[in-house]
Amino acid sequence: MADRPRRPRLRRTLLAALVTFAVAVPVSGAARPDAVPAPAPSVLGPLRDASPAALEERYAVSRRDIRAAGRAADAHGDLKRAASLRAMAAPGRQFLSFDGRDGGRSVEVVGELSSARRVAVLVPGAGVGLDAYGRLRRDATALREELGGGTAVLAWLGYRSPATVSPAALTTGRADEAAPGLRALVDEVRAVRPAARISLLCHSYGSVICARSASGTAADALVLYGSPGVGAESVAALPTGARVWAGRGGDDWIARVPHVRVRVPFVATVGFGTDPVAARFGAEVFDAGDGGHSDYLLPGSRSLTNLARIVAGAEPLGASR
């Protein structure tokens, strides 16, 4: 009963934020990163063979596509995008797929997928794209180093990530579009590595995508961290057999986001509902340490230790229900 008087205030806060975002985003839209041109990528088709030779052939094709996109960005005068793409095309980088159009789509493998017994798929949140790809690569590398041998981390940039401050970051629209692609990737990995343990590590808005892809997922674990909510009121509303975990750092600003869902006439349903670390949501809660919103995969952090333990199939330190 104590929460009821706060509900109207939380709704007003959320609606005020929506109005602010709706005004701010068009002003900054002139520099949209998705406006950088790129050629159509090679047609690779679904992943059907995870042998070293087949994967290397696929990586080589994606590397050529990345370099072509880099040349297009350079010709367009976008030096930041061109530099990011040059780094992505460096020898030794392993991309299962790449498409430089519409803000960019890619799946990078850190580790050896051909022999992996444990596979983690990183699903990033808002504000991640080709221009900021280095952060996703950094996180994937840190997790792979924490896990050690016999593992592969897939950095999945499979959707047009909304700006952190935008109306799209307050609704499930982008997540609804992205979820089928994520589910398909997990299905493909399951088909080529049937005995592997597969975990979805879902950060911030990425947790909304994971929830939207949960129905029938082949993943063994679904891990929500730094989540604003997932658009479902409880784990019971997610039709999945995966084990569902949730965690939030002690200094993560996402804790101050109102956990409500409000129908805004002529717009959409805004907000994502129940806090995933709340007892009523029903996830298994793990200790994510004291870090901030972007700190979950920092080397040496409690959150990285526990995320790696979940991926490995071990109980995280300080877990609770």
Side-chain angles (χ1 to χ4, degrees):
M1 296 294 292
D3 289 341
R4 289 188 177 177
R6 299 177 58 206
R7 286 290 206 178
R9 186 169 70 250
L10 293 178
R11 289 191 175 91
R12 286 195 298 271
T13 300
L14 198 56
L15 292 174
L18 176 65
V19 172
T20 301
F21 295 164
V23 171
V25 170
V27 172
S28 60
R32 291 182 306 125
D34 57 338
V36 181
S42 304
V43 178
L44 285 171
L47 178 66
R48 301 188 188 281
D49 185 349
S51 67
L55 287 174
E56 185 49 50
E57 181 179 350
R58 196 175 181 101
Y59 298 155
V61 172
S62 293
R63 192 174 299 117
R64 290 195 294 270
D65 287 341
I66 295 170
R67 288 172 176 162
R71 291 191 293 271
D74 202 20
H76 185 68
D78 194 317
L79 302 183
K80 182 177 181 180
R81 172 69 59 83
S84 178
L85 292 171
R86 280 194 297 272
M88 292 171 72
R93 300 287 289 270
Q94 305 177 146
F95 284 85
L96 290 174
S97 63
F98 174 83
D99 186 345
R101 300 171 297 176
D102 189 32
R105 310 283 191 278
S106 65
V107 182
E108 183 174 13
V109 179
V110 179
E112 297 302 326
L113 182 58
S114 61
S115 58
R117 300 183 304 276
R118 300 178 298 273
V119 178
V121 182
L122 292 188
V123 182
V128 178
L130 294 182
D131 294 338
Y133 185 81
R135 292 182 297 169
L136 185 57
R137 164 73 179 187
R138 176 202 68 192
D139 287 347
T141 301
L143 180 60
R144 173 61 172 73
E145 291 178 352
E146 183 76 15
L147 286 164
T151 60
V153 178
L154 275 55
W156 182 82
L157 182 60
Y159 74 116
R160 184 160 57 94
S161 172
T164 303
V165 179
S166 69
L170 290 173
T171 69
T172 64
R174 298 282 176 90
D176 292 333
E177 295 171 2
L182 178 60
R183 189 184 301 112
L185 174 65
V186 175
D187 287 344
E188 291 168 22
V189 173
R190 175 61 72 204
V192 298
R193 300 296 303 158
R197 174 180 169 80
I198 303 174
S199 302
L200 292 178
L201 270 56
C202 318
H203 178 239
S204 195
Y205 188 84
S207 64
V208 186
I209 301 173
C210 287
R212 288 305 204 248
S213 71
S215 178
T217 183
D220 298 289
L222 194 159
V223 191
L224 318 170
Y225 55 102
S227 174
V230 299
E233 292 306 307
S234 68
V235 169
L238 301 177
T240 179
R243 195 172 178 183
V244 180
W245 294 90
R248 184 169 62 225
D251 197 31
D252 190 341
W253 58 262
I254 207 77
R256 298 189 292 275
V257 171
H259 293 286
V260 296
R261 299 194 76 199
V262 181
R263 177 66 187 173
V264 181
F266 312 111
V267 181
T269 298
V270 179
F272 303 109
T274 308
D275 185 348
V277 300
R280 68 180 180 276
F281 186 74
E284 298 182 68
V285 178
F286 69 93
D287 182 0
D290 298 323
H293 192 63
S294 300
D295 299 338
Y296 288 92
L297 292 167
L298 288 182
S301 65
R302 180 62 166 247
S303 52
L304 176 59
T305 295
N306 276 339
L307 287 168
R309 288 178 68 87
I310 292 171
V311 171
E315 291 295 307
L317 305 176
S320 63
R321 290 182 183 271

PDB file of all heavy atoms in Angstrom, residues 239-263:
ATOM      1  N   PRO A 239       7.922 -16.659 -21.279  1.00  0.00           N
ATOM      2  CA  PRO A 239       7.781 -18.084 -21.563  1.00  0.00           C
ATOM      3  C   PRO A 239       9.118 -18.703 -21.956  1.00  0.00           C
ATOM      4  O   PRO A 239       9.418 -18.915 -23.132  1.00  0.00           O
ATOM      5  CB  PRO A 239       6.782 -18.107 -22.726  1.00  0.00           C
ATOM      6  CG  PRO A 239       6.994 -16.800 -23.416  1.00  0.00           C
ATOM      7  CD  PRO A 239       7.389 -15.816 -22.351  1.00  0.00           C
ATOM      8  N   THR A 240       9.958 -18.960 -20.966  1.00  0.00           N
ATOM      9  CA  THR A 240      11.293 -19.473 -21.239  1.00  0.00           C
ATOM     10  C   THR A 240      11.687 -20.542 -20.237  1.00  0.00           C
ATOM     11  O   THR A 240      11.277 -20.492 -19.072  1.00  0.00           O
ATOM     12  CB  THR A 240      12.333 -18.331 -21.205  1.00  0.00           C
ATOM     13  OG1 THR A 240      13.633 -18.856 -21.459  1.00  0.00           O
ATOM     14  CG2 THR A 240      12.343 -17.638 -19.843  1.00  0.00           C
ATOM     15  N   GLY A 241      12.472 -21.477 -20.697  1.00  0.00           N
ATOM     16  CA  GLY A 241      13.031 -22.480 -19.803  1.00  0.00           C
ATOM     17  C   GLY A 241      14.403 -22.095 -19.316  1.00  0.00           C
ATOM     18  O   GLY A 241      15.022 -22.832 -18.526  1.00  0.00           O
ATOM     19  N   ALA A 242      14.915 -20.939 -19.763  1.00  0.00           N
ATOM     20  CA  ALA A 242      16.231 -20.482 -19.324  1.00  0.00           C
ATOM     21  C   ALA A 242      16.176 -20.022 -17.871  1.00  0.00           C
ATOM     22  O   ALA A 242      15.144 -19.540 -17.394  1.00  0.00           O
ATOM     23  CB  ALA A 242      16.716 -19.341 -20.208  1.00  0.00           C
ATOM     24  N   ARG A 243      17.268 -20.173 -17.180  1.00  0.00           N
ATOM     25  CA  ARG A 243      17.376 -19.652 -15.826  1.00  0.00           C
ATOM     26  C   ARG A 243      17.572 -18.143 -15.912  1.00  0.00           C
ATOM     27  O   ARG A 243      18.442 -17.655 -16.646  1.00  0.00           O
ATOM     28  CB  ARG A 243      18.567 -20.305 -15.127  1.00  0.00           C
ATOM     29  CG  ARG A 243      18.592 -20.139 -13.623  1.00  0.00           C
ATOM     30  CD  ARG A 243      19.702 -20.989 -13.025  1.00  0.00           C
ATOM     31  NE  ARG A 243      19.791 -20.810 -11.578  1.00  0.00           N
ATOM     32  CZ  ARG A 243      20.713 -21.387 -10.818  1.00  0.00           C
ATOM     33  NH1 ARG A 243      21.633 -22.187 -11.368  1.00  0.00           N
ATOM     34  NH2 ARG A 243      20.731 -21.182  -9.517  1.00  0.00           N
ATOM     35  N   VAL A 244      16.770 -17.385 -15.184  1.00  0.00           N
ATOM     36  CA  VAL A 244      16.777 -15.930 -15.305  1.00  0.00           C
ATOM     37  C   VAL A 244      17.456 -15.313 -14.088  1.00  0.00           C
ATOM     38  O   VAL A 244      17.046 -15.534 -12.942  1.00  0.00           O
ATOM     39  CB  VAL A 244      15.349 -15.370 -15.447  1.00  0.00           C
ATOM     40  CG1 VAL A 244      15.366 -13.849 -15.582  1.00  0.00           C
ATOM     41  CG2 VAL A 244      14.657 -15.993 -16.660  1.00  0.00           C
ATOM     42  N   TRP A 245      18.490 -14.518 -14.367  1.00  0.00           N
ATOM     43  CA  TRP A 245      19.246 -13.811 -13.326  1.00  0.00           C
ATOM     44  C   TRP A 245      19.083 -12.306 -13.508  1.00  0.00           C
ATOM     45  O   TRP A 245      18.838 -11.830 -14.622  1.00  0.00           O
ATOM     46  CB  TRP A 245      20.722 -14.151 -13.415  1.00  0.00           C
ATOM     47  CG  TRP A 245      21.085 -15.572 -13.109  1.00  0.00           C
ATOM     48  CD1 TRP A 245      21.168 -16.614 -13.985  1.00  0.00           C
ATOM     49  CD2 TRP A 245      21.425 -16.095 -11.817  1.00  0.00           C
ATOM     50  NE1 TRP A 245      21.536 -17.759 -13.313  1.00  0.00           N
ATOM     51  CE2 TRP A 245      21.703 -17.476 -11.987  1.00  0.00           C
ATOM     52  CE3 TRP A 245      21.513 -15.541 -10.544  1.00  0.00           C
ATOM     53  CZ2 TRP A 245      22.066 -18.292 -10.936  1.00  0.00           C
ATOM     54  CZ3 TRP A 245      21.887 -16.354  -9.484  1.00  0.00           C
ATOM     55  CH2 TRP A 245      22.149 -17.722  -9.682  1.00  0.00           C
ATOM     56  N   ALA A 246      19.264 -11.553 -12.426  1.00  0.00           N
ATOM     57  CA  ALA A 246      19.226 -10.089 -12.512  1.00  0.00           C
ATOM     58  C   ALA A 246      20.211  -9.510 -11.506  1.00  0.00           C
ATOM     59  O   ALA A 246      20.411 -10.054 -10.414  1.00  0.00           O
ATOM     60  CB  ALA A 246      17.824  -9.555 -12.230  1.00  0.00           C
ATOM     61  N   GLY A 247      20.843  -8.403 -11.886  1.00  0.00           N
ATOM     62  CA  GLY A 247      21.775  -7.728 -10.985  1.00  0.00           C
ATOM     63  C   GLY A 247      21.870  -6.255 -11.319  1.00  0.00           C
ATOM     64  O   GLY A 247      21.604  -5.842 -12.464  1.00  0.00           O
ATOM     65  N   ARG A 248      22.225  -5.453 -10.335  1.00  0.00           N
ATOM     66  CA  ARG A 248      22.402  -4.017 -10.559  1.00  0.00           C
ATOM     67  C   ARG A 248      23.511  -3.497  -9.659  1.00  0.00           C
ATOM     68  O   ARG A 248      23.556  -3.800  -8.454  1.00  0.00           O
ATOM     69  CB  ARG A 248      21.112  -3.253 -10.276  1.00  0.00           C
ATOM     70  CG  ARG A 248      21.246  -1.759 -10.605  1.00  0.00           C
ATOM     71  CD  ARG A 248      19.904  -1.047 -10.590  1.00  0.00           C
ATOM     72  NE  ARG A 248      19.285  -1.088  -9.278  1.00  0.00           N
ATOM     73  CZ  ARG A 248      18.004  -1.366  -9.076  1.00  0.00           C
ATOM     74  NH1 ARG A 248      17.221  -1.656 -10.105  1.00  0.00           N
ATOM     75  NH2 ARG A 248      17.509  -1.362  -7.866  1.00  0.00           N
ATOM     76  N   GLY A 249      24.412  -2.720 -10.230  1.00  0.00           N
ATOM     77  CA  GLY A 249      25.508  -2.132  -9.478  1.00  0.00           C
ATOM     78  C   GLY A 249      25.016  -1.080  -8.503  1.00  0.00           C
ATOM     79  O   GLY A 249      24.005  -0.399  -8.741  1.00  0.00           O
ATOM     80  N   GLY A 250      25.748  -0.912  -7.407  1.00  0.00           N
ATOM     81  CA  GLY A 250      25.335   0.012  -6.361  1.00  0.00           C
ATOM     82  C   GLY A 250      25.337   1.466  -6.786  1.00  0.00           C
ATOM     83  O   GLY A 250      24.638   2.290  -6.188  1.00  0.00           O
ATOM     84  N   ASP A 251      26.108   1.811  -7.842  1.00  0.00           N
ATOM     85  CA  ASP A 251      26.181   3.194  -8.290  1.00  0.00           C
ATOM     86  C   ASP A 251      25.566   3.374  -9.686  1.00  0.00           C
ATOM     87  O   ASP A 251      25.901   4.313 -10.393  1.00  0.00           O
ATOM     88  CB  ASP A 251      27.643   3.651  -8.304  1.00  0.00           C
ATOM     89  CG  ASP A 251      27.780   5.163  -8.346  1.00  0.00           C
ATOM     90  OD1 ASP A 251      26.901   5.864  -7.792  1.00  0.00           O
ATOM     91  OD2 ASP A 251      28.760   5.664  -8.945  1.00  0.00           O
ATOM     92  N   ASP A 252      24.668   2.476 -10.045  1.00  0.00           N
ATOM     93  CA  ASP A 252      24.038   2.532 -11.367  1.00  0.00           C
ATOM     94  C   ASP A 252      22.836   3.478 -11.323  1.00  0.00           C
ATOM     95  O   ASP A 252      21.885   3.262 -10.569  1.00  0.00           O
ATOM     96  CB  ASP A 252      23.589   1.122 -11.778  1.00  0.00           C
ATOM     97  CG  ASP A 252      23.141   1.055 -13.231  1.00  0.00           C
ATOM     98  OD1 ASP A 252      22.834   2.103 -13.817  1.00  0.00           O
ATOM     99  OD2 ASP A 252      23.098  -0.065 -13.775  1.00  0.00           O
ATOM    100  N   TRP A 253      22.869   4.498 -12.171  1.00  0.00           N
ATOM    101  CA  TRP A 253      21.773   5.483 -12.203  1.00  0.00           C
ATOM    102  C   TRP A 253      20.442   4.865 -12.619  1.00  0.00           C
ATOM    103  O   TRP A 253      19.381   5.462 -12.377  1.00  0.00           O
ATOM    104  CB  TRP A 253      22.114   6.637 -13.143  1.00  0.00           C
ATOM    105  CG  TRP A 253      22.416   6.239 -14.569  1.00  0.00           C
ATOM    106  CD1 TRP A 253      23.643   6.066 -15.129  1.00  0.00           C
ATOM    107  CD2 TRP A 253      21.470   5.964 -15.618  1.00  0.00           C
ATOM    108  NE1 TRP A 253      23.535   5.694 -16.453  1.00  0.00           N
ATOM    109  CE2 TRP A 253      22.215   5.627 -16.772  1.00  0.00           C
ATOM    110  CE3 TRP A 253      20.070   5.971 -15.679  1.00  0.00           C
ATOM    111  CZ2 TRP A 253      21.605   5.293 -17.984  1.00  0.00           C
ATOM    112  CZ3 TRP A 253      19.454   5.632 -16.885  1.00  0.00           C
ATOM    113  CH2 TRP A 253      20.223   5.309 -18.016  1.00  0.00           C
ATOM    114  N   ILE A 254      20.479   3.686 -13.235  1.00  0.00           N
ATOM    115  CA  ILE A 254      19.224   3.075 -13.700  1.00  0.00           C
ATOM    116  C   ILE A 254      18.277   2.782 -12.535  1.00  0.00           C
ATOM    117  O   ILE A 254      17.063   2.647 -12.734  1.00  0.00           O
ATOM    118  CB  ILE A 254      19.524   1.785 -14.496  1.00  0.00           C
ATOM    119  CG1 ILE A 254      18.399   1.493 -15.520  1.00  0.00           C
ATOM    120  CG2 ILE A 254      19.718   0.585 -13.583  1.00  0.00           C
ATOM    121  CD1 ILE A 254      18.433   2.334 -16.744  1.00  0.00           C
ATOM    122  N   ALA A 255      18.818   2.713 -11.328  1.00  0.00           N
ATOM    123  CA  ALA A 255      17.973   2.470 -10.153  1.00  0.00           C
ATOM    124  C   ALA A 255      16.972   3.596  -9.932  1.00  0.00           C
ATOM    125  O   ALA A 255      15.936   3.399  -9.290  1.00  0.00           O
ATOM    126  CB  ALA A 255      18.842   2.307  -8.907  1.00  0.00           C
ATOM    127  N   ARG A 256      17.260   4.778 -10.467  1.00  0.00           N
ATOM    128  CA  ARG A 256      16.377   5.932 -10.267  1.00  0.00           C
ATOM    129  C   ARG A 256      15.321   6.064 -11.366  1.00  0.00           C
ATOM    130  O   ARG A 256      14.486   6.964 -11.323  1.00  0.00           O
ATOM    131  CB  ARG A 256      17.214   7.211 -10.196  1.00  0.00           C
ATOM    132  CG  ARG A 256      18.185   7.222  -9.021  1.00  0.00           C
ATOM    133  CD  ARG A 256      18.840   8.572  -8.833  1.00  0.00           C
ATOM    134  NE  ARG A 256      19.751   8.892  -9.907  1.00  0.00           N
ATOM    135  CZ  ARG A 256      21.036   8.510  -9.966  1.00  0.00           C
ATOM    136  NH1 ARG A 256      21.540   7.748  -9.000  1.00  0.00           N
ATOM    137  NH2 ARG A 256      21.807   8.863 -10.978  1.00  0.00           N
ATOM    138  N   VAL A 257      15.348   5.172 -12.339  1.00  0.00           N
ATOM    139  CA  VAL A 257      14.338   5.200 -13.409  1.00  0.00           C
ATOM    140  C   VAL A 257      13.013   4.656 -12.863  1.00  0.00           C
ATOM    141  O   VAL A 257      12.997   3.596 -12.228  1.00  0.00           O
ATOM    142  CB  VAL A 257      14.802   4.353 -14.608  1.00  0.00           C
ATOM    143  CG1 VAL A 257      13.673   4.189 -15.625  1.00  0.00           C
ATOM    144  CG2 VAL A 257      16.020   4.988 -15.266  1.00  0.00           C
ATOM    145  N   PRO A 258      11.896   5.353 -13.063  1.00  0.00           N
ATOM    146  CA  PRO A 258      10.611   4.847 -12.575  1.00  0.00           C
ATOM    147  C   PRO A 258      10.254   3.509 -13.236  1.00  0.00           C
ATOM    148  O   PRO A 258      10.262   3.383 -14.456  1.00  0.00           O
ATOM    149  CB  PRO A 258       9.619   5.941 -12.989  1.00  0.00           C
ATOM    150  CG  PRO A 258      10.445   7.168 -13.191  1.00  0.00           C
ATOM    151  CD  PRO A 258      11.768   6.692 -13.688  1.00  0.00           C
ATOM    152  N   HIS A 259       9.932   2.527 -12.426  1.00  0.00           N
ATOM    153  CA  HIS A 259       9.600   1.200 -12.942  1.00  0.00           C
ATOM    154  C   HIS A 259       8.087   1.080 -13.118  1.00  0.00           C
ATOM    155  O   HIS A 259       7.406   0.383 -12.374  1.00  0.00           O
ATOM    156  CB  HIS A 259      10.163   0.129 -12.011  1.00  0.00           C
ATOM    157  CG  HIS A 259      11.656   0.102 -12.001  1.00  0.00           C
ATOM    158  ND1 HIS A 259      12.403  -0.403 -13.043  1.00  0.00           N
ATOM    159  CD2 HIS A 259      12.545   0.547 -11.080  1.00  0.00           C
ATOM    160  CE1 HIS A 259      13.684  -0.284 -12.764  1.00  0.00           C
ATOM    161  NE2 HIS A 259      13.790   0.295 -11.588  1.00  0.00           N
ATOM    162  N   VAL A 260       7.613   1.784 -14.129  1.00  0.00           N
ATOM    163  CA  VAL A 260       6.187   1.790 -14.441  1.00  0.00           C
ATOM    164  C   VAL A 260       6.024   1.615 -15.945  1.00  0.00           C
ATOM    165  O   VAL A 260       6.975   1.729 -16.725  1.00  0.00           O
ATOM    166  CB  VAL A 260       5.521   3.115 -14.003  1.00  0.00           C
ATOM    167  CG1 VAL A 260       5.586   3.270 -12.494  1.00  0.00           C
ATOM    168  CG2 VAL A 260       6.179   4.317 -14.689  1.00  0.00           C
ATOM    169  N   ARG A 261       4.789   1.312 -16.353  1.00  0.00           N
ATOM    170  CA  ARG A 261       4.431   1.298 -17.767  1.00  0.00           C
ATOM    171  C   ARG A 261       3.217   2.198 -17.928  1.00  0.00           C
ATOM    172  O   ARG A 261       2.216   2.028 -17.231  1.00  0.00           O
ATOM    173  CB  ARG A 261       4.124  -0.117 -18.255  1.00  0.00           C
ATOM    174  CG  ARG A 261       5.284  -1.079 -18.134  1.00  0.00           C
ATOM    175  CD  ARG A 261       5.038  -2.342 -18.942  1.00  0.00           C
ATOM    176  NE  ARG A 261       5.240  -2.097 -20.362  1.00  0.00           N
ATOM    177  CZ  ARG A 261       4.754  -2.871 -21.337  1.00  0.00           C
ATOM    178  NH1 ARG A 261       3.959  -3.890 -21.035  1.00  0.00           N
ATOM    179  NH2 ARG A 261       5.012  -2.608 -22.594  1.00  0.00           N
ATOM    180  N   VAL A 262       3.318   3.168 -18.827  1.00  0.00           N
ATOM    181  CA  VAL A 262       2.252   4.144 -19.007  1.00  0.00           C
ATOM    182  C   VAL A 262       1.869   4.206 -20.480  1.00  0.00           C
ATOM    183  O   VAL A 262       2.736   4.366 -21.348  1.00  0.00           O
ATOM    184  CB  VAL A 262       2.706   5.545 -18.533  1.00  0.00           C
ATOM    185  CG1 VAL A 262       1.575   6.551 -18.707  1.00  0.00           C
ATOM    186  CG2 VAL A 262       3.180   5.509 -17.094  1.00  0.00           C
ATOM    187  N   ARG A 263       0.575   4.074 -20.747  1.00  0.00           N
ATOM    188  CA  ARG A 263       0.095   4.202 -22.118  1.00  0.00           C
ATOM    189  C   ARG A 263      -0.091   5.671 -22.448  1.00  0.00           C
ATOM    190  O   ARG A 263      -0.875   6.377 -21.802  1.00  0.00           O
ATOM    191  CB  ARG A 263      -1.238   3.461 -22.274  1.00  0.00           C
ATOM    192  CG  ARG A 263      -1.864   3.606 -23.655  1.00  0.00           C
ATOM    193  CD  ARG A 263      -1.048   2.946 -24.740  1.00  0.00           C
ATOM    194  NE  ARG A 263      -1.572   3.230 -26.071  1.00  0.00           N
ATOM    195  CZ  ARG A 263      -0.959   2.879 -27.193  1.00  0.00           C
ATOM    196  NH1 ARG A 263       0.192   2.237 -27.135  1.00  0.00           N
ATOM    197  NH2 ARG A 263      -1.490   3.176 -28.362  1.00  0.00           N
TER     198      ARG A 263
END
